[in-house]
């Protein structure tokens, strides 16, 4: 049976880890861990993603943007983290330079935060940019077009309110690590406004997650904790509607709706 391919663009490494953990709940394997991330084991379809070093312009400290790849026997999904606000520019360049990523995939999706605007406004922005290659790309947050390829956009946290991934993670933390979340909130409350005056609207939630992560495993980053700990699990899936809604979106985008988890 031939393998099919799908491409999902996200804004940053936390989002990438989050989507990857959801795919693992859906019984996908992780190329980096299960096949040791070795080039010799990489599906040839994704070889155009292999970055060159140093990147264009000779910037020695520029992050290499190899996507994370998750796979089953029948489907391979590349999750590309496009550098925050540069996601569209970087991903459009990749699509322009390699037509199979436009024409030979069965699904294309975007996962973005609603930190700088209302979800539907963000969806419309991405739709305008990506309809160049995917004319039926949805204009409404949370929607999936069932044409070929399937296309969809999910605007975190829930396609309705402003927020970020950490909104969902905080809800998951209340289920998986309730004591840690309670203690972390009390700790952060001890700092007065002077310490927080440069915080952006959703930085408190990010700090809360980071505080819990530092207790779960000192020195571990939020990204690794999302991958390794129980923020995204069968338990939190059962108790956090926002996570359940996201999983439903991914299943619809990737045509996995018959899979029960």
């Amino acid at each position: 049976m031939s393998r099919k391919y799908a491409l999902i663009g996200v804004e940053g490494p936390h989002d990438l880890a989050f989507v990857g953990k959801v795919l693992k709940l859906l019984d996908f394997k992780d190329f980096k861990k299960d096949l040791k991330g070795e080039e010799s084991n990489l599906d040839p379809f994704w070889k155009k993603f292999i970055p060159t070093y140093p990147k264009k312009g000779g910037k020695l400290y520029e992050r290499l943007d190899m996507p994370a790849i998750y796979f089953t026997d029948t489907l391979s999904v590349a999750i590309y983290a496009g550098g925050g606000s540069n996601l569209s520019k970087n991903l459009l360049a990749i699509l322009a330079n390699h037509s199979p990523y436009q024409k030979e995939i069965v699904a294309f999706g975007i996962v973005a935060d609603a930190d700088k605007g209302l979800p539907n406004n963000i969806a419309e922005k991405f739709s305008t940019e990506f309809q160049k290659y995917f004319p039926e790309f949805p204009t409404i947050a949370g929607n999936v077009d069932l044409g070929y390829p399937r296309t969809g956009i999910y605007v975190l946290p829930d396609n309705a309110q402003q927020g970020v991934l950490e909104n969902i993670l905080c809800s998951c933390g209340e289920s998986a690590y309730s004591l840690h979340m309670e203690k972390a909130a009390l700790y952060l409350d001890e700092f007065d406004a002077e310490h927080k005056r440069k915080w952006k609207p959703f930085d408190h939630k990010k700090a809360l997650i980071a505080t819990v992560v530092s207790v779960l495993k000192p020195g571990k980053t939020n990204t690794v904790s999302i991958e390794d700990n129980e923020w995204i699990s069968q338990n939190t899936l059962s108790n956090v509607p926002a996570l359940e809604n996201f999983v439903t979106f991914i299943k619809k985008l990737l045509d996995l709706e018959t899979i029960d988890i």
Side-chain angles (χ1 to χ4, degrees):
M1 182 181 296
S2 61
R3 181 176 282 164
K4 298 177 181 179
Y5 302 93
L7 177 58
I8 298 175
V10 302
E11 293 181 315
H14 293 174
D15 305 313
L16 188 154
F18 171 68
V19 178
K21 192 63 177 284
V22 166
L23 290 179
K24 292 185 77 171
L25 283 182
L26 292 165
D27 290 329
F28 279 71
K29 294 181 179 178
D30 181 351
F31 169 71
K32 183 177 180 180
K33 293 183 177 180
D34 294 297
L35 294 181
K36 304 185 185 305
E38 295 179 355
E39 183 178 353
S40 59
N41 293 327
L42 181 65
D43 190 306
F45 186 80
W46 299 122
K47 285 190 178 292
K48 286 292 183 178
F49 262 118
I50 297 176
T52 57
Y53 181 82
K55 294 193 70 173
K56 187 176 180 180
K59 295 182 179 180
L60 298 178
Y61 295 100
E62 191 76 12
R63 184 182 65 86
L64 297 181
D65 53 357
M66 183 67 190
I69 296 170
Y70 293 82
F71 63 95
T72 66
D73 291 339
T74 58
L75 179 63
S76 179
V77 181
I79 310 171
Y80 175 78
S85 60
N86 292 321
L87 171 59
S88 292
K89 181 183 75 171
N90 293 337
L91 193 48
L92 285 166
I94 291 168
L95 292 171
N97 291 331
H98 193 54
S99 62
Y101 296 166
Q102 310 165 26
K103 301 175 180 178
E104 296 179 21
I105 57 175
V106 296
F108 174 81
I110 293 291
V111 177
D113 287 325
D115 55 339
K116 298 178 181 178
L118 296 174
N120 280 340
N121 292 342
I122 291 170
E124 288 178 9
K125 172 184 174 293
F126 280 106
S127 179
T128 299
E129 293 166 334
F130 286 101
Q131 280 184 356
K132 176 179 181 180
Y133 297 115
F134 308 105
E136 303 305 319
F137 192 96
T139 60
I140 298 175
N143 278 17
V144 174
D145 180 82
L146 301 182
Y148 184 88
R150 293 188 178 210
T151 54
I153 179 165
Y154 198 98
V155 183
L156 300 165
D158 61 3
N159 300 306
Q161 62 180 319
Q162 284 192 261
V164 291
L165 170 63
E166 281 75 14
N167 289 65
I168 296 180
L169 294 181
C170 282
S171 296
C172 291
E174 295 293 345
S175 177
Y177 303 112
S178 58
L179 179 61
H180 297 71
M181 292 290 288
E182 178 184 351
K183 298 289 188 181
L186 291 171
Y187 168 71
L188 292 176
D189 285 345
E190 293 179 359
F191 291 91
D192 59 27
E194 177 63 22
H195 291 89
K196 303 174 182 178
R197 61 189 176 88
K198 293 185 179 180
W199 283 18
K200 298 175 183 177
F202 304 104
D203 281 355
H204 185 273
K205 292 184 181 299
K206 295 179 180 181
L208 188 60
I209 298 300
T211 302
V212 173
V213 168
S214 69
V215 174
L216 292 174
K217 180 66 175 179
K220 181 177 285 190
T221 65
N222 287 14
T223 300
V224 176
S225 182
I226 294 168
E227 294 174 347
D228 293 347
N229 294 125
E230 297 300 311
W231 304 96
I232 312 302
S233 64
Q234 292 286 355
N235 172 50
T236 56
L237 179 60
S238 300
N239 291 294
V240 180
L243 176 59
E244 183 180 11
N245 290 341
F246 182 79
V247 172
T248 298
F249 168 84
I250 289 294
K251 290 170 69 174
K252 189 171 185 179
L253 178 68
L254 301 179
D255 195 15
L256 302 172
E257 293 161 292
T258 60
I259 296 178
D260 293 323
I261 56 175

